[in-house]
Amino acid sequence: MAGRKLDKKDLFGKSDPFLEFYKPGDDGKWMLVHRTEVIKYTLDPVWKPFTVPLVSLCDGDIEKQIKVVCYDYDNDGGHDFIGEFQTSVAKMCEAQDAFVVEFECINPKKQKKKRSYKNSGIIIVKSCKITRDYSFLDYILGGCQLMFTVGIDFTASNGNPRDPTSLHYINPMGTNEYLSAIWAVGQIIQDYDTDKMFPALGFGAQLPPDWKVSHEFAINFNPTNPFCLGVEGIVQAYSSCLPHIRFYGPTNFSPIINHVARFASQATQQESATQYFILLIITDGVISDMDETRHAVVQASKLPMSVIIVGVGNADFAAMEFLDGDSRVLRSYTGEEAMRDIVQFVPFREFRSAPKETLAKAVLAELPQQVVQYFKHQNLPPINSEPA
């Protein structure tokens, strides 16, 4: 929105205009629903584009009359009235592309006093459109598939899996912290994927027959088909691979993040919200390739992808908290900022004695918002959505 030739209200200089939008309340009085920013020292302001929920602006009724009032801002709070007009959302929505809608800004007192009074300036609507805000559920019900991949840390710091003190030791109950994390997250995510075929990858181990270190290998030892059927399939492949590999190092995250990012980048060709990729990394320790990992996360933030890190054991997980950009924007070593926060870190130790639902809730807390944020930014509607 913009203004043209608004009345000058300040003795020394021009006006500092802003707009207020009102709708009629149940009691017949006008209720303030939105205020724009103040544009300083001008009679021809151009306001930044803004978004207002339709329900707030006009109770969802685009024909309902709304009132727009223009004021000149004063520091003491006694803003000077410039003028007003009434319109409707339907009328404002006539402003599309190059076609603008103009309204005369009228000061009724001046209008009464002066016969020659025309207006106190013009308010211009350059563009107004109604867009639908989709929720996570809209995308899921619309047919979006959550593509789930697990990355498992097989570095030496986990301890020998035959030793009961090892994080990979499978106890008589048939479980360990790695398996608990896989179950807790996988059981929920698998319901959002129709074929339930999940790639399960390992990193930081030496593999037979030549015992070279790998930072992205299929735990079913089938590199062309690393998919496991459901969470049970991942658990089986994990238990079967343990005796056949040697735990080694270092703890490199970037190869496995880049692996999933390659698939996620293919999905950026989609014209509707069909796929979103989730990488669950379960690890016991400090990241060795922090610079490369930061860079990989920043690049992945442009893709339909999220990274969930579950830290097992009692190591110092400060670096993981750093990747989880809740408190600050993550930057690559090149200085490039992440487009959005895509990492969620959860230390397993805080949930050892809690029900597995509590862990799952913490791990997946940010995911719905991350999915919506990505598709909204790309302007991608759910597959089976009706036009707004």
Side-chain angles (χ1 to χ4, degrees):
M1 291 186 75
R4 187 172 71 239
K5 293 185 179 169
L6 298 174
D7 280 0
K8 182 180 160 194
K9 288 287 179 181
D10 292 344
L11 202 55
F12 307 106
K14 300 184 176 179
S15 294
D16 307 316
F18 67 95
L19 299 176
E20 288 188 342
F21 290 75
Y22 293 82
K23 70 174 177 187
D26 294 335
D27 56 2
K29 289 180 182 160
W30 291 103
M31 280 170 58
L32 178 65
V33 290
H34 182 74
R35 182 181 287 127
T36 67
E37 85 274 28
V38 176
I39 308 290
K40 291 277 193 183
Y41 317 121
T42 180
L43 303 179
D44 303 294
V46 177
W47 289 282
K48 284 183 197 147
F50 56 88
T51 306
V52 187
L54 200 61
V55 158
S56 306
L57 186 59
C58 59
D59 300 323
D61 177 359
I62 62 169
E63 300 296 343
K64 181 178 263 190
Q65 283 293 292
I66 58 172
K67 183 165 79 166
V68 183
V69 185
C70 184
Y71 287 102
D72 165 40
Y73 177 83
D74 274 345
N75 282 333
D76 62 7
H79 311 309
D80 297 319
F81 175 70
I82 293 176
E84 65 184 26
F85 62 91
Q86 289 189 24
T87 181
S88 66
V89 172
K91 178 68 183 162
M92 290 196 296
C93 280
E94 289 173 16
Q96 295 284 333
D97 305 321
F99 184 78
V100 302
V101 178
E102 298 190 346
F103 298 96
E104 286 190 292
C105 203
I106 302 296
N107 181 329
K109 279 185 185 168
K110 278 192 175 182
Q111 200 176 32
K112 272 184 191 161
K113 274 184 191 168
K114 283 186 187 171
R115 273 210 166 144
S116 59
Y117 176 82
K118 209 171 167 197
N119 58 48
S120 295
I122 303 290
I123 300 293
I124 305 152
V125 180
K126 292 182 167 180
S127 172
C128 176
K129 52 180 183 279
I130 300 168
T131 55
R132 179 162 170 195
D133 255 356
Y134 294 106
S135 68
F136 176 65
L137 212 53
D138 288 329
Y139 285 109
I140 296 302
L141 296 175
C144 180
Q145 300 286 305
L146 299 185
M147 316 300 281
F148 178 51
T149 300
V150 181
I152 301 172
D153 178 343
F154 291 112
T155 53
S157 53
N158 283 280
N160 184 327
R162 290 179 200 82
D163 182 337
T165 61
S166 165
L167 291 164
H168 280 290
Y169 173 75
I170 298 178
N171 63 31
M173 307 275 291
T175 188
N176 61 29
E177 292 195 0
Y178 278 87
L179 285 169
S180 299
I182 291 168
W183 276 114
V185 182
Q187 277 189 310
I188 289 181
I189 289 185
Q190 71 174 357
D191 290 337
Y192 296 105
D193 187 324
T194 43
D195 69 2
K196 301 197 182 346
M197 296 298 289
F198 307 121
L201 309 171
F203 59 94
Q206 294 174 314
L207 306 186
D210 54 4
W211 304 106
K212 276 193 181 148
V213 179
S214 173
H215 294 293
E216 80 184 90
F217 63 91
I219 64 171
N220 65 1
F221 298 115
N222 185 347
T224 56
N225 185 11
F227 293 89
C228 303
L229 179 56
V231 184
E232 291 87 350
I234 297 172
V235 169
Q236 270 172 345
Y238 166 78
S239 306
S240 308
C241 93
L242 281 175
H244 301 290
I245 59 175
R246 289 181 191 156
F247 288 17
Y248 205 70
T251 309
N252 290 353
F253 276 19
S254 61
I256 220 160
I257 293 172
N258 290 329
H259 175 100
V260 176
R262 282 194 292 275
F263 292 97
S265 68
Q266 289 168 10
T268 56
Q269 312 304 318
Q270 57 195 11
E271 285 175 12
S272 57
T274 49
Q275 289 181 325
Y276 191 92
F277 290 76
I278 296 153
L279 169 60
L280 168 66
I281 298 176
I282 311 170
T283 180
D284 80 317
V286 180
I287 303 171
S288 311
D289 64 339
M290 191 58 179
D291 279 355
E292 291 82 356
T293 295
R294 273 166 52 200
H295 188 68
V297 169
V298 167
Q299 298 313 309
S301 72
K302 305 167 190 171
L303 303 172
M305 174 174 169
S306 289
V307 180
I308 294 165
I309 303 170
V310 174
V312 294
N314 295 312
D316 173 15
F317 291 122
M320 308 297 178
E321 301 280 10
F322 174 74
L323 285 176
D324 185 343
D326 283 350
S327 51
R328 72 181 89 66
V329 177
L330 181 72
R331 278 190 173 82
S332 164
Y333 59 81
T334 63
E336 185 182 358
E337 289 189 350
M339 273 183 65
R340 54 200 186 92
D341 173 21
I342 62 163
V343 176
Q344 170 76 336
F345 169 69
V346 174
F348 188 87
R349 57 179 171 239
E350 290 178 12
F351 298 90
R352 276 187 192 130
S353 50
K356 67 173 188 289
E357 295 77 29
T358 319
L359 171 66
K361 195 174 173 186
V363 167
L364 298 170
E366 292 178 11
L367 188 67
Q369 171 194 343
Q370 288 171 357
V371 171
V372 170
Q373 199 182 22
Y374 174 79
F375 290 128
K376 190 173 180 180
H377 187 265
Q378 298 298 317
N379 220 356
L380 289 174
I383 307 165
N384 306 324
S385 66
E386 290 123 33

